[in-house]
Amino acid sequence: MRPLSGLDSGSVWAQRLRQLEQRLRVKEERIVVLETENAALHLKLAEYQGLAGRSTHEVLQLYSARGQQQKLQRSSVVIQLHGAIKRLKQDLKSLHSFALELSKDFQRQSKTYLYQVLTAVQGIQLQNEAMQMFQIKAFDLEQSLQEVTERYEKEKQKRRALHNSLVELRGNIRVHCRIRPLLPFDTAVGHSISQDRQRSFSEKVAYAADDETVLVKCSRPGHAPINKTFQFERVYSASESQDTVFADVAPLLTSLLDGYNVCIMAYGQTGSGKTYTMLGPQLEENFAFSTEDESELGIIPRATQEVFRLISEKPPGSYWVEVSVVEVYNNDIFDLLAKDSSGKVFGVKRDVVTTREGKSDIPLLTHETVENASEFLHLVKKGLQLRVRHPTLVHAHSSRSHLVVTLTITTIVSGDNIATSWEDEQTSQRLNKEVSYTFPQKMRDNKSNSSSRASSPTQLDATEKLKQVKTRLQLVDLAGSECVGMSGVTGAALRETSFINRSLSALADVLGAIAEQRSHVPYRNSKLTHLLQDSVGGDAKLLVMLCISPDQKYLTESMQSLGFGTRARQVQRGQVKKKYVPVPSKAK
C-alpha cells in the first residue's frame, strides 16, 4: 500500500515496525516460559524415578507419555515460532521496501519543493527589481511633477500679477468669493420654507473647484442636474482661514499709503459669513467682535493693525489717522460715534451731500483721531453696540443695516516733497491748490468745524507752507440680501428687509450703469450708493468680497450673489488715480 504523504506514511510504518518488534519479544518470552516448563518437567520426571514402590514399567510408560507430550508441545511451539519469524521477516522486507520508496518519494518531493522555492525566490527578485524600477520611475515622475507644479505656480503668479495689472489699468472691480462651511443653523428648517426646498436642506451644492473657480450644482425636479462655474480673482474654500483671506487683501493697504483710496466691501445673503469675514466671531452679549483669538480676527481689525504697522515705518509726525463709523438703516445714515452732552455715544441721523467737486460727503460726521489699532477697535466696538440687529429664521443675529467704517489717513508733506506721475499731473495740480494751506490756519478751521478732528503735528513749523493729502480706507459690511419667504420676517423687520433689498438693487443698478458707460449713473437712488459714490465710481481700488452659503436651500440666494459678483467684475471704470506720489525729502 503506497502512502499518500511521505511524512504521514513514514510514521505509520514506523508504528507498525514497533508493533512487530513487540510481538517478537512476546514470542521470545513465550519460548523462555516453555523452556522453564520443560525444566520443571525434567525435575518432576526425576522425582517420579525416585519414587519408591513404582514399577519400572509404569515409570517408562509415564516417561514415554510425558516425552511424547512434551515433544508434541515443543514441535507445535517451534512450528508457531517459525511461522511468526517467517511473517516477521516478510513484514521487515515490506517495511524495508516501503522505507526505500518513502526515501525516493521524499527526495522527489524535496527536489520539487526546492525548485518551487528557487522559482519563488527568482520571482521575488524580479519583483524587487521591477519595484525598484517603479520606485525610480515614481521618484522621477514626482520630481517632474514637482518641477511642473513649481513652474505652474510661477506662471500662475505671473498670470495673476498680469491680471492685477490689467485690472489696475482698466479700473476693474476685484471680486473675491468665500464659501462658508455648513453650520448648525443650516439644519433648522423654517416653517415658511417650501417642501421642495426642505427636501435637501443639508446638501452641499457650492464648491471651490480651484482658487479661482466656484462650481455650483444646480438641480430642479424633473430636470437634469447642471454644473455652473463662476470665475473670480480669488476663491476661498470652506476650510481656508481668516489669515489666508487677509493675505490677499493686505497688498491693497500698501496702496493706501501710496496715495490710493481703497474700499473693501462684503456682499452676500443673510447668514453667509459677511460679518465674520469683516470683523470676526461676534460676542452674544453685546454683538461686538471678539479679539481674544487673533487667528479668528476679520479684515477690519487686521487691516487696522496692518495700516498702523505701515505707518510706523514712515517718518514720525507725517501721518495721522481718523476714524468714522456710520450705518445705513432704512435708507437713513446714522453716525455711530456721535456723543451727547454727557459724552455718551448714541446714533445721530446724518445726511450725505455732493460737494462742488462732485465728491460725496457727510456734514458734521464725527471723526475720532486714533493713534493705534487698540483705540480704533475700541471705537468700532462702541459703534457696533448701536448697530441694528433682528433675528430671522435664517440667522439669529441678522444685521439690519449697512456698516461703513472709514479710516482717513492724512499725510503732511512740504511743497517741495511731492511729485506726480505724468498722467496725474493736472489732477495733482488741482488737488494741491485745493489742499494747500498754512498749518496754524488749518488748526483753527479744524477747531471750528469739529472738536473731534485731529490736531496737526506740533513739531511742524507753523510758518512752513505745507500740503495735506487725505486717503481713505472704507470697510463696508453690507446687510444681507434675503428672501422674505426664507427669513420669515414680519412688521418692522419686513420694512427693514424691503429697504435692504432696495439699496442692494440700487448698488447693482449703479454697477450696471457704469459697466454700460451710461451718461447718468443713479447714485442718488439710495443713501448707500450715494455714500459709496467715490469708491464705486472709480476713485478707489474696490474689492468686493462675495460670501455665499454652500447649502442647497440657499441656492437661489447664492446664485444671485454670484451673478452680482460676475457683473461687478465686468465694470471698467478707468485707471484709478493716485492722490500723490511721495518723494523722500532731502536732508536739511
Side-chain angles (χ1 to χ4, degrees):
M1 177 169 103
R2 188 179 183 84
L4 297 177
S5 168
L7 297 177
D8 293 340
S9 58
S11 60
V12 170
W13 283 107
Q15 183 178 2
R16 185 173 178 183
L17 180 60
R18 287 193 298 271
Q19 291 176 354
L20 292 175
E21 289 175 350
Q22 185 177 3
R23 289 172 59 185
L24 180 61
R25 285 193 299 271
V26 170
K27 296 297 182 181
E28 289 176 350
E29 291 174 357
R30 178 63 177 165
I31 291 173
V32 173
V33 170
L34 291 176
E35 288 178 351
T36 304
E37 290 179 355
N38 193 14
L41 290 174
H42 279 293
L43 292 174
K44 190 175 283 190
L45 179 60
E47 184 179 355
Y48 287 154
Q49 289 177 352
L51 293 175
R54 269 187 197 181
S55 62
T56 304
H57 181 71
E58 291 177 352
V59 172
L60 290 175
Q61 287 181 349
L62 289 173
Y63 181 77
S64 175
R66 176 60 65 182
Q68 289 178 357
Q69 184 179 2
Q70 290 180 352
K71 186 177 181 180
L72 290 174
Q73 289 178 350
R74 284 197 299 271
S75 62
S76 176
V77 171
V78 169
I79 292 172
Q80 290 178 359
L81 288 175
H82 279 294
I85 292 170
K86 187 176 181 181
R87 289 193 299 272
L88 183 60
K89 288 181 178 180
Q90 290 178 352
D91 291 340
L92 288 173
K93 187 177 181 181
S94 299
L95 183 62
H96 184 264
S97 62
F98 172 73
L100 291 176
E101 292 179 359
L102 181 63
S103 177
K104 292 178 181 179
D105 187 46
F106 177 75
Q107 291 177 356
R108 287 194 301 269
Q109 291 184 3
S110 298
K111 291 180 180 180
T112 302
Y113 293 149
L114 181 62
Y115 175 76
Q116 291 177 355
V117 169
L118 292 175
T119 303
V121 170
Q122 291 177 355
I124 292 173
Q125 290 177 349
L126 293 175
Q127 289 180 356
N128 288 336
E129 293 176 358
M131 184 64 68
Q132 291 178 354
M133 293 181 65
F134 285 143
Q135 289 177 348
I136 294 172
K137 290 181 179 179
F139 180 74
D140 293 338
L141 289 175
E142 286 179 357
Q143 285 187 332
S144 301
L145 179 61
Q146 185 176 359
E147 292 175 358
V148 171
T149 303
E150 291 175 354
R151 289 172 54 193
Y152 170 74
E153 290 297 330
K154 291 180 180 178
E155 294 298 327
K156 190 175 181 181
Q157 291 176 0
K158 291 180 181 179
R159 189 190 70 81
R160 183 169 291 177
L162 292 173
H163 176 73
N164 288 335
S165 300
L166 182 62
V167 169
E168 292 278 350
L169 293 173
R170 289 179 175 177
N172 289 92
I173 298 173
R174 295 171 176 82
V175 181
H176 295 186
C177 181
R178 188 178 196 185
I179 305 173
R180 71 159 173 81
L182 289 173
L183 299 175
F185 67 77
D186 289 328
T187 60
V189 184
H191 298 292
S192 60
I193 303 176
S194 64
Q195 293 295 326
D196 291 336
R197 302 193 73 175
Q198 291 182 12
R199 178 171 48 85
S200 303
F201 66 89
S202 61
E203 181 183 356
K204 189 174 181 181
V205 296
Y207 303 86
D210 54 45
D211 59 358
E212 294 181 354
T213 308
V214 176
L215 173 66
V216 181
K217 296 181 178 180
C218 303
S219 60
R220 291 186 299 169
H223 295 77
I226 301 174
N227 291 337
K228 293 186 177 181
T229 58
F230 299 86
Q231 298 289 331
F232 300 106
E233 276 71 29
R234 184 68 165 87
V235 174
Y236 306 97
S237 65
S239 60
E240 294 190 81
S241 65
Q242 299 275 64
D243 294 329
T244 305
V245 174
F246 183 72
D248 295 321
V249 175
L252 288 175
L253 304 177
T254 305
S255 300
L256 181 68
L257 296 186
D258 289 340
Y260 292 99
N261 288 332
V262 176
C263 179
I264 303 172
M265 179 189 307
Y267 181 96
Q269 71 169 105
T270 298
S272 59
K274 300 183 302 302
T275 302
Y276 174 78
T277 298
M278 294 302 293
L279 293 169
Q282 292 179 277
L283 300 176
E284 296 290 339
E285 59 271 12
N286 55 9
F287 301 113
F289 58 94
S290 173
T291 57
E292 294 180 359
D293 188 358
E294 292 188 358
S295 64
E296 294 292 321
L297 290 179
I299 291 175
I300 291 179
R302 288 174 184 265
T304 309
Q305 294 172 354
E306 179 66 12
V307 166
F308 279 101
R309 186 191 67 80
L310 294 172
I311 289 177
S312 67
E313 298 174 355
K314 304 294 182 180
S318 58
Y319 293 85
W320 80 85
V321 181
E322 297 170 307
V323 60
S324 65
V325 182
V326 301
E327 70 170 348
V328 181
Y329 173 68
N330 288 354
N331 206 34
D332 288 322
I333 296 177
F334 291 90
D335 183 356
L336 299 185
L337 295 184
K339 299 179 181 178
D340 58 13
S341 58
S342 62
K344 182 179 179 181
V345 176
F346 71 106
V348 175
K349 185 176 178 181
R350 305 291 190 194
D351 199 7
V352 58
V353 298
T354 302
T355 64
R356 287 180 299 176
E357 293 78 18
K359 305 296 183 181
S360 62
D361 186 30
I362 303 177
L364 303 178
L365 180 63
T366 304
H367 294 266
E368 292 283 355
T369 304
V370 291
E371 296 183 356
N372 52 55
S374 299
E375 292 181 3
F376 169 84
L377 296 179
H378 177 70
L379 292 174
V380 172
K381 286 182 179 180
K382 282 186 176 180
L384 287 175
Q385 292 175 3
L386 300 177
R387 191 181 185 187
V388 180
R389 286 175 172 81
H390 189 86
T392 68
L393 292 178
V394 177
H395 192 218
H397 305 294
S398 175
S399 301
R400 314 307 294 170
S401 65
H402 309 293
L403 179 70
V404 181
V405 178
T406 304
L407 205 67
T408 304
I409 300 178
T410 304
T411 306
I412 301 300
V413 291
S414 60
D416 59 349
N417 194 31
I418 185 166
T420 58
S421 57
W422 66 269
E423 69 271 15
D424 293 340
E425 184 176 356
Q426 294 179 353
T427 303
S428 180
Q429 288 176 357
R430 177 177 57 82
L431 182 62
N432 290 341
K433 291 178 182 179
E434 293 172 357
V435 301
S436 297
Y437 70 106
T438 302
F439 202 79
Q441 180 64 35
K442 185 61 181 180
M443 289 177 63
R444 291 193 294 270
D445 293 341
N446 281 340
K447 291 181 180 179
S448 62
N449 288 336
S450 174
S451 61
S452 62
R453 289 186 179 273
S455 60
S456 54
T458 59
Q459 68 270 25
L460 293 175
D461 187 358
T463 61
E464 185 181 1
K465 192 71 172 181
L466 300 174
K467 298 182 186 298
Q468 179 190 42
V469 179
K470 292 187 177 183
T471 53
R472 290 190 306 176
L473 171 62
Q474 281 190 315
L475 304 165
V476 185
D477 179 20
L478 295 174
S481 60
E482 60 187 35
C483 173
V484 176
M486 284 285 291
S487 60
V489 293
T490 58
L494 179 59
R495 184 168 179 267
E496 294 169 349
T497 299
S498 175
F499 277 108
I500 291 171
N501 289 339
R502 274 190 281 175
S503 61
L504 294 175
S505 297
L507 179 60
D509 293 340
V510 166
L511 293 178
I514 298 174
E516 296 173 7
Q517 298 181 354
R518 299 179 199 165
S519 58
H520 173 68
V521 180
Y523 291 112
R524 298 193 182 187
N525 285 359
S526 169
K527 293 291 180 65
L528 174 66
T529 53
H530 197 180
L531 176 63
L532 300 177
Q533 176 179 345
D534 298 342
S535 298
V536 176
D539 193 33
K541 292 186 176 182
L542 177 58
L543 168 63
V544 176
M545 184 69 68
L546 289 183
C547 297
I548 65 172
S549 168
D551 204 332
Q552 166 71 31
K553 69 178 179 180
Y554 302 124
L555 177 60
T556 302
E557 290 76 11
S558 297
M559 292 295 291
Q560 187 272 334
S561 298
L562 292 170
F564 175 87
T566 301
R567 291 191 298 272
R569 287 191 73 209
Q570 298 170 356
V571 175
Q572 296 184 12
R573 307 172 298 166
Q575 186 174 4
V576 178
K577 303 296 177 61
K578 282 187 179 182
K579 293 291 183 181
Y580 70 99
V581 181
V583 178
S585 60
K586 298 179 181 179
K588 295 184 180 179

